[in-house]
Amino acid sequence: MADEPKNQVVEALEPPDAVLVARARANDYSSYEELVRRYQRRIYALVYNMTGNKEDTEDLVQDVFVKAYRVLHGFKGNSSFYTWIYRIAVNRTINFLHKRKRRGSSVSLDDVDQAVERDPALLELRSRESPVRDVTISELQNKLNAALQTLSEDHRTVVVMHDIQGMQHAEIAGILNCSEGTVRSRLFYARKQLQHELAEYAP
Amino acid sequence: MKADNKKESADEQNNFIQRLVALKRYEQPDPYFETRNLAVLREKLSGAAPGRGWANRWFGWLFNGSVPAFRMVVVSCLLALLSVNLLLLNSVPNLSPESVSPDEGVAVISSDSDMRLASTNESLDLYRKPVFVFEYPSNRQAVGPVQMGPSSVPVRYDY
């Protein structure tokens, strides 16, 4: 009982996606902007890790949100807004990658947060008695990016969503419209290929 | 025992690769990305109502743009072109089988006709071409010895 007013306050301060979607449909642009504010970083990370180019990523992220706004009437609410917008982002990025394959690609990477220096995986790598202990962050970033780009779009998508963005198998399956088994299988084969590509860093 | 060790090592490698790839989460867009993205979106979406159907969008494009008169002219031209095409389509004679009488459209030429057989290029009537009819029925059975090599094939012309 006591929780009810508290929930109402929280809802007023941070309304759920469904409420914002309904308001945005009623021509309230600020509500849509709030949705963009909520998801733009995650969509950016997804697209960036799939394309490996920050300029392309910015254009694609804008494209995703413009497209979503234009087809907002088609959003039936069967899934969450988050799932829906992710689906649009994945589809548009894969289309973009197909086009890019024909005209060639370039790499332009984002800056790395200094917090990476305290990451256990990096500390473990640097504690080894092997040449890889001297690897710089920038070298490692380039290697990881190159390894990711060798994967097929389907495999790269699941690796980005699961290993980088920390999403659950079921969540990924919902976005990609496939079974959890398919997600697991793609992850298995993708990691196998990554092991081959990053063999020099493996323990 | 060996198999267990091998599996353990594979799992360890798999796990480490996963953690290594996860380092990519530290790559961040520049600090102004969010503000810039919101500003660009605001500019792109200003004036656009969310999720409007295609008919509404066309209507908006026609009447709310900066040069509606030009757009109206373009659309009028397109409509005029479409109407002319439809009218021309209606003026084509009906050639359905029911509308053609049995004798109509069938050229009957006697075999004694002295019409000169000529190649299509020399022919006066380009669409009346001779048809070569082989004298042998197509399903004939071999009755005599099979003829090999080049020889004349009985053929007559028909129309």
Side-chain angles (χ1 to χ4, degrees):
Chain A
M1 254 331 229
D3 280 350
E4 221 166 82
K6 200 175 151 191
N7 286 346
Q8 279 172 358
V9 171
V10 170
E11 213 164 275
L13 289 174
E14 211 174 286
D17 289 357
V19 173
L20 290 174
V21 169
R23 284 187 200 158
R25 272 171 155 177
N27 232 346
D28 175 10
Y29 183 72
S30 63
S31 296
Y32 188 69
E33 215 167 58
E34 178 56 34
L35 287 167
V36 175
R37 221 170 267 128
R38 273 183 201 181
Y39 295 112
Q40 61 181 352
R41 274 191 95 85
R42 274 189 261 182
I43 298 290
Y44 181 95
L46 168 82
V47 178
Y48 168 73
N49 286 310
M50 283 178 75
T51 60
N53 182 299
K54 59 182 180 181
E55 285 83 22
D56 289 343
T57 302
E58 281 208 24
D59 291 345
L60 270 167
V61 171
Q62 282 158 17
D63 189 38
V64 167
F65 284 108
V66 167
K67 170 80 180 170
Y69 191 66
R70 291 202 193 284
V71 295
L72 206 57
H73 70 285
F75 175 59
K76 303 276 186 286
N78 298 334
S79 57
S80 65
F81 177 78
Y82 165 70
T83 305
W84 184 71
I85 195 97
Y86 246 83
R87 205 173 285 156
I88 294 177
V90 168
N91 290 337
R92 285 191 103 74
T93 309
I94 288 178
N95 281 346
F96 169 81
L97 291 173
H98 285 163
K99 281 184 203 156
R100 194 176 73 170
K101 225 181 238 173
R102 288 195 289 270
R103 59 156 213 239
S105 61
S106 60
V107 175
S108 93
L109 301 175
D110 275 331
D111 295 332
V112 183
D113 192 327
Q114 288 308 303
V116 73
E117 300 284 356
R118 296 187 297 275
D119 191 278
L122 193 68
L123 294 175
E124 189 184 325
L125 194 70
R126 288 196 165 154
S127 67
R128 285 209 211 126
E129 292 295 328
S130 74
V132 294
R133 65 180 294 172
D134 298 325
V135 69
T136 64
I137 293 295
S138 148
E139 279 168 4
L140 187 61
Q141 187 189 15
N142 279 313
K143 264 280 185 202
L144 288 174
N145 186 62
L148 264 182
Q149 296 302 318
T150 62
L151 301 179
S152 71
E153 282 95 20
D154 286 343
H155 287 177
R156 204 182 314 157
T157 310
V158 289
V159 168
V160 169
M161 285 177 163
H162 188 271
D163 291 352
I164 303 176
Q165 301 205 285
M167 291 165 76
Q168 301 298 310
H169 293 120
E171 219 173 348
I172 300 170
I175 290 166
L176 300 181
N177 223 356
C178 63
S179 69
E180 275 188 59
T182 307
V183 173
R184 281 176 210 277
S185 147
R186 284 180 188 171
L187 258 181
F188 174 80
Y189 287 108
R191 287 208 194 118
K192 221 169 177 186
Q193 193 176 333
L194 285 174
Q195 265 182 30
H196 175 73
E197 295 293 331
L198 301 167
E200 58 190 303
Y201 301 108
Chain B
M1 194 69 170
K2 247 185 188 174
D4 279 353
N5 284 343
K6 213 174 173 183
K7 192 181 174 300
E8 220 167 79
S9 155
D11 284 348
E12 197 186 328
Q13 272 196 16
N14 195 19
N15 187 266
F16 184 72
I17 292 296
Q18 189 180 340
R19 285 164 53 210
L20 207 58
V21 170
L23 289 177
K24 276 192 74 69
R25 70 181 182 278
Y26 291 102
E27 290 176 30
Q28 301 290 331
D30 70 82
Y32 304 108
F33 157 69
E34 290 183 37
T35 329
R36 198 168 53 236
N37 189 43
L38 285 169
V40 172
L41 281 178
R42 207 173 297 145
E43 199 183 300
K44 281 187 178 175
L45 296 174
S46 63
R52 293 187 310 174
W54 63 270
N56 277 336
R57 277 210 294 278
W58 267 96
F59 195 78
W61 181 79
L62 262 178
F63 297 108
N64 301 332
S66 54
V67 278
F70 171 72
R71 289 173 180 175
M72 284 297 285
V73 168
V74 169
V75 172
S76 305
C77 286
L78 284 173
L79 285 174
L81 199 67
L82 194 70
S83 316
V84 168
N85 272 303
L86 282 173
L87 283 173
L88 286 176
L89 206 65
N90 285 336
S91 65
V92 171
N94 189 1
L95 292 176
S96 64
E98 298 85 38
S99 65
V100 179
S101 68
D103 296 335
E104 216 179 310
V106 180
V108 182
I109 298 168
S110 70
S111 55
D112 321 329
S113 167
D114 59 351
M115 178 176 267
R116 189 169 59 93
L117 286 170
S119 73
T120 311
N121 285 344
E122 291 169 12
S123 171
L124 293 173
D125 187 350
L126 294 175
Y127 298 102
R128 191 171 291 169
K129 298 172 191 168
V131 177
F132 298 92
V133 180
F134 289 94
E135 295 288 77
Y136 292 132
S138 60
N139 59 347
R140 75 193 168 104
Q141 300 292 313
V143 284
V146 178
Q147 198 177 356
M148 304 293 283
S151 70
S152 60
V153 176
V155 68
R156 71 182 159 83
Y157 303 109
D158 209 346
Y159 287 93

